[in-house]
PDB file of all heavy atoms in Angstrom:
ATOM      1  N   ALA X 540      86.040  57.978  41.265  1.00  0.00           N
ATOM      2  CA  ALA X 540      86.715  59.217  41.498  1.00  0.00           C
ATOM      3  C   ALA X 540      88.235  59.013  41.308  1.00  0.00           C
ATOM      4  O   ALA X 540      88.911  59.811  40.675  1.00  0.00           O
ATOM      5  CB  ALA X 540      86.456  59.772  42.898  1.00  0.00           C
ATOM      6  N   LEU X 541      88.753  57.908  41.852  1.00  0.00           N
ATOM      7  CA  LEU X 541      90.171  57.634  41.742  1.00  0.00           C
ATOM      8  C   LEU X 541      90.619  57.464  40.287  1.00  0.00           C
ATOM      9  O   LEU X 541      91.540  58.073  39.776  1.00  0.00           O
ATOM     10  CB  LEU X 541      90.510  56.312  42.491  1.00  0.00           C
ATOM     11  CG  LEU X 541      91.992  56.037  42.630  1.00  0.00           C
ATOM     12  CD1 LEU X 541      92.596  57.006  43.626  1.00  0.00           C
ATOM     13  CD2 LEU X 541      92.211  54.602  43.057  1.00  0.00           C
ATOM     14  N   MET X 542      89.840  56.641  39.488  1.00  0.00           N
ATOM     15  CA  MET X 542      90.216  56.393  38.170  1.00  0.00           C
ATOM     16  C   MET X 542      90.163  57.723  37.309  1.00  0.00           C
ATOM     17  O   MET X 542      90.980  58.003  36.487  1.00  0.00           O
ATOM     18  CB  MET X 542      89.264  55.370  37.478  1.00  0.00           C
ATOM     19  CG  MET X 542      89.402  53.942  38.121  1.00  0.00           C
ATOM     20  SD  MET X 542      88.641  52.584  37.116  1.00  0.00           S
ATOM     21  CE  MET X 542      86.933  53.112  37.122  1.00  0.00           C
ATOM     22  N   ALA X 543      89.017  58.491  37.495  1.00  0.00           N
ATOM     23  CA  ALA X 543      88.873  59.758  36.762  1.00  0.00           C
ATOM     24  C   ALA X 543      90.034  60.715  37.161  1.00  0.00           C
ATOM     25  O   ALA X 543      90.593  61.365  36.312  1.00  0.00           O
ATOM     26  CB  ALA X 543      87.563  60.350  37.011  1.00  0.00           C
ATOM     27  N   GLY X 544      90.384  60.720  38.417  1.00  0.00           N
ATOM     28  CA  GLY X 544      91.519  61.613  38.943  1.00  0.00           C
ATOM     29  C   GLY X 544      92.841  61.294  38.284  1.00  0.00           C
ATOM     30  O   GLY X 544      93.527  62.142  37.698  1.00  0.00           O
ATOM     31  N   VAL X 545      93.116  59.964  38.218  1.00  0.00           N
ATOM     32  CA  VAL X 545      94.356  59.520  37.566  1.00  0.00           C
ATOM     33  C   VAL X 545      94.396  59.896  36.101  1.00  0.00           C
ATOM     34  O   VAL X 545      95.319  60.447  35.572  1.00  0.00           O
ATOM     35  CB  VAL X 545      94.491  58.014  37.741  1.00  0.00           C
ATOM     36  CG1 VAL X 545      95.624  57.423  36.826  1.00  0.00           C
ATOM     37  CG2 VAL X 545      94.777  57.605  39.117  1.00  0.00           C
ATOM     38  N   LEU X 546      93.219  59.730  35.401  1.00  0.00           N
ATOM     39  CA  LEU X 546      93.089  60.019  34.011  1.00  0.00           C
ATOM     40  C   LEU X 546      93.272  61.529  33.790  1.00  0.00           C
ATOM     41  O   LEU X 546      94.050  61.937  32.874  1.00  0.00           O
ATOM     42  CB  LEU X 546      91.714  59.654  33.546  1.00  0.00           C
ATOM     43  CG  LEU X 546      91.532  59.307  32.074  1.00  0.00           C
ATOM     44  CD1 LEU X 546      92.498  58.251  31.677  1.00  0.00           C
ATOM     45  CD2 LEU X 546      90.084  58.932  31.804  1.00  0.00           C
ATOM     46  N   LEU X 547      92.711  62.371  34.612  1.00  0.00           N
ATOM     47  CA  LEU X 547      92.837  63.814  34.487  1.00  0.00           C
ATOM     48  C   LEU X 547      94.285  64.267  34.626  1.00  0.00           C
ATOM     49  O   LEU X 547      94.859  65.134  33.902  1.00  0.00           O
ATOM     50  CB  LEU X 547      91.932  64.549  35.516  1.00  0.00           C
ATOM     51  CG  LEU X 547      90.448  64.654  35.116  1.00  0.00           C
ATOM     52  CD1 LEU X 547      89.677  65.136  36.279  1.00  0.00           C
ATOM     53  CD2 LEU X 547      90.344  65.623  33.867  1.00  0.00           C
ATOM     54  N   VAL X 548      94.958  63.686  35.663  1.00  0.00           N
ATOM     55  CA  VAL X 548      96.339  64.012  35.847  1.00  0.00           C
ATOM     56  C   VAL X 548      97.175  63.523  34.624  1.00  0.00           C
ATOM     57  O   VAL X 548      98.093  64.259  34.173  1.00  0.00           O
ATOM     58  CB  VAL X 548      96.896  63.450  37.197  1.00  0.00           C
ATOM     59  CG1 VAL X 548      98.356  63.625  37.304  1.00  0.00           C
ATOM     60  CG2 VAL X 548      96.108  64.084  38.328  1.00  0.00           C
TER      61      VAL X 548
END
Side-chain angles (χ1 to χ4, degrees):
Chain X
L541 188 75
M542 294 194 301
V545 168
L546 206 57
L547 279 169
V548 171

